[in-house]
C-alpha cells in the first residue's frame, strides 16, 4: 500500500541568538585575557619553578584556586544571565582605579588590578546582585593574587617562630637527641638551625586556609557558621602541627649532617609531599565535622509525643 499521508518536515534546529549584552561580555572577557594572560603565565611559571619572589611563593595555592574560581564562575553563568542588567556607578570608579593600577607599572599594583577589575566589571554589568553572585570566586582570585602582605607581616611572626623552635627542640630531646633551643635557633649536633620567618609556617597556613575555604564551598556548607568555624580551626591546628613536625625533621637531618635529605625536605619534593599530605588530611576532617554536626542536629530535634 502507498502511504498518501503528507510528510512532516524535520524541525530546523534553533540557533541561539546572542544578545547585545552577550557580545559586550564576550568582548570584555577577550580584553581581560589579553591584559592579564602574561601576568598569570608569569605567576604560574614562578610557582611551578620557584622562580618568583619568596613573598609571592606564598600564593602558590593559586595553582588550584584560580582554575576552581573560573569553574565556579562558569557554573554560575545561567544565574548571571538571568540577572537584570543594572549598572552601578561604583563599578566605573573601581574599573578606573584598576586601570590606573595596571598602567602604574608597579608589579604589586598590576597584580592587584586583576581582582579590582573583576569587581568593577561585576558592578558595572549587574550591580551588587552580580557582585554577590560572584563573591566567592572573586574572593579566591583576590587571595591568590601575589602581593607584599607576607613581607609586611614577617616582623610579627617572631612568637610563632619561637614557639615552633621550642616545640621542635622539645620533641628532639624526647627522642634522645642532644638539642638546645635559644629563641628561634636550634643547636643540634654542633650545628645551628634557624626557624626563619618563611619557615614559621605562614605559607603553609595560607595554603591550608585557602584550600579549607575551597572544600567548604565544594561541600556547600560555607553558610554554616558552626561547621565553618570548626573546620577552619581544625585546619589551623593541622597546619601548625605539621609545620612543627617538618621543622623537627629538618633540624634533625641538618644536625646529623644529612645535608642532601635536609635540602630535599626543605626546598625539594619532600617538602611538597609533606604539604600534600597535610591538605589531604583536611578532607576526612571535614567529613567528620559534617557527620558530627548532622548527628548533633538530629539528637536536638524534638521527638513527637507518643
Amino acid at each position: 500500500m502507498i502511504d498518501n499521508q503528507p510528510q512532516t518536515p524535520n524541525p530546523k534546529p534553533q540557533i541561539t541568538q546572542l544578545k547585545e549584552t552577550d557580545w559586550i561580555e564576550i568582548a570584555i572577557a577577550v580584553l581581560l585575557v589579553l591584559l592579564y594572560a602574561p601576568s598569570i603565565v608569569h605567576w604560574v611559571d614562578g610557582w611551578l619553578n620557584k622562580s618568583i619572589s619568596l613573598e609571592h611563593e606564598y600564593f602558590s595555592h593559586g595553582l588550584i584556586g584560580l582554575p576552581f574560581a573560573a569553574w565556579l564562575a562558569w557554573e554560575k553563568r545561567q544565574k548571571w544571565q538571568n540577572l537584570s542588567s543594572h549598572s552601578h556607578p561604583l563599578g566605573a570608579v573601581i574599573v578606573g582605579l584598576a586601570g590606573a593600577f595596571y598602567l602604574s607599572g608597579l608589579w604589586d599594583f598590576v597584580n592587584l588590578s586583576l581582582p579590582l577589575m573583576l569587581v568593577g566589571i561585576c558592578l558595572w554589568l549587574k550591580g551588587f546582585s552580580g557582585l554577590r553572585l560572584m563573591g566567592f570566586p572573586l574572593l579566591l582570585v583576590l587571595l591568590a593574587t601575589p602581593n607584599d602582605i607576607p613581607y609586611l607581616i614577617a616582623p610579627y611572626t617572631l612568637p610563632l617562630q619561637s614557639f615552633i623552635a621550642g616545640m621542635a627542640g622539645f620533641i628532639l630531646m624526647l627522642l634522645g637527641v642532644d638539642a638546645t633551643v635559644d629563641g628561634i635557633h636550634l643547636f643540634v649536633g654542633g650545628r645551628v638551625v634557624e626557624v626563619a620567618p618563611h619557615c614559621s609556617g605562614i605559607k603553609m597556613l595560607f595554603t591550608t586556609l585557602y584550600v579549607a575555604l575551597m572544600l567548604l564551598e565544594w561541600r556547600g556548607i560555607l553558610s554554616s557558621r558552626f561547621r565553618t568555624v570548626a573546620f577552619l580551626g581544625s585546619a589551623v591546628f593541622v597546619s601548625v602541627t605539621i609545620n612543627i613536625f617538618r621543622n623537627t625533621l629538618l633540624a634533625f637531618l641538618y644536625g646529623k649532617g644529612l645535608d642532601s635529605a635536609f635540602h630535599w625536605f626543605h626546598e625539594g619534593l619532600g617538602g611538597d609531599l609533606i604539604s600534600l599530605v597535610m591538605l589531604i588530611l583536611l578532607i576526612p576532617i571535614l567529613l567528620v565535622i559534617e557527620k558530627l554536626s548532622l548527628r548533633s542536629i538530629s539528637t536536638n530535634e524534638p521527638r513527637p509525643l507518643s
Side-chain angles (χ1 to χ4, degrees), residues 172-173 175-179 186-193 248-262:
L172 288 174
M173 286 185 282
L175 296 175
V177 179
D178 184 16
L186 278 164
F187 297 85
V188 182
R191 307 182 78 176
V192 184
V193 180
T248 302
L249 178 63
L250 290 175
F252 175 81
L253 294 174
Y254 190 71
K256 295 298 182 180
L258 303 172
D259 292 353
S260 58
F262 169 81

Side-chain angles (χ1 to χ4, degrees), residues 8-43:
T8 57
N10 294 327
K12 295 182 179 180
Q14 295 183 352
I15 300 175
T16 303
Q17 298 293 330
L18 292 176
K19 298 181 293 184
E20 182 181 354
T21 54
D22 295 331
W23 285 112
I24 292 174
E25 291 176 6
I26 291 173
I28 291 173
V30 172
L31 182 60
L32 286 175
V33 170
L34 293 176
L35 287 175
Y36 290 103
S39 294
I40 295 176
V41 169
H42 174 71
W43 298 350

Side-chain angles (χ1 to χ4, degrees), residues 38-94:
S39 294
I40 295 176
V41 169
H42 174 71
W43 298 350
V44 172
D45 177 70
W47 291 334
L48 290 174
N49 300 312
K50 301 185 185 298
S51 58
I52 205 167
S53 68
L54 184 62
E55 287 77 19
H56 288 183
E57 276 190 33
Y58 280 63
F59 301 90
S60 59
H61 46 253
L63 288 170
I64 56 175
L66 293 179
F68 185 66
W71 177 78
L72 286 177
W74 178 256
E75 287 292 303
K76 297 174 183 288
R77 68 189 185 280
Q78 190 60 52
K79 293 181 179 179
W80 172 269
Q81 292 171 356
N82 293 337
L83 293 175
S84 60
S85 298
H86 178 70
S87 298
H88 194 283
L90 184 59
V93 174
I94 295 178

